[in-house]
Amino acid sequence: MLELGSRAKINPPLRAKTAREGLWERLADGAVDIVSSDHAPWPWEYKSHESIFDNHSGCPAWKPACR
């Protein structure tokens, strides 16, 4: 949150590197049944509010919202 601010409002929430690596391991060993994405084609202004509670959830692929 300190780095991304209110743009970090996505589902599922952003995770630490170790958690992401664990997900890839579970995917490789067949423990994950479904893979989906949080594609959210909101206009950029929907993700640009100062308050996280005013922003729409999701990470637009066309803008670097989740970096």
Side-chain angles (χ1 to χ4, degrees), residues 2-40:
L2 292 176
E3 184 180 331
L4 297 174
S6 61
R7 292 177 294 171
K9 183 178 179 182
I10 65 170
N11 296 313
L14 298 173
R15 304 287 185 197
K17 182 178 180 179
T18 55
R20 295 190 313 265
E21 290 170 348
L23 177 60
W24 285 113
E25 290 171 11
R26 287 166 182 79
L27 183 63
D29 71 16
V32 175
D33 294 325
I34 298 172
V35 176
S36 65
S37 83
D38 184 25
H39 176 68

Side-chain angles (χ1 to χ4, degrees), residues 19 29 31 50 52:
D29 71 16
E50 187 173 330
I52 195 167

Side-chain angles (χ1 to χ4, degrees), residues 4 6-8 10 14 44 47 58-67:
L4 297 174
S6 61
R7 292 177 294 171
I10 65 170
L14 298 173
W44 187 238
K47 295 290 292 179
C59 183
W62 49 271
K63 286 281 191 172
C66 296
R67 287 194 218 174

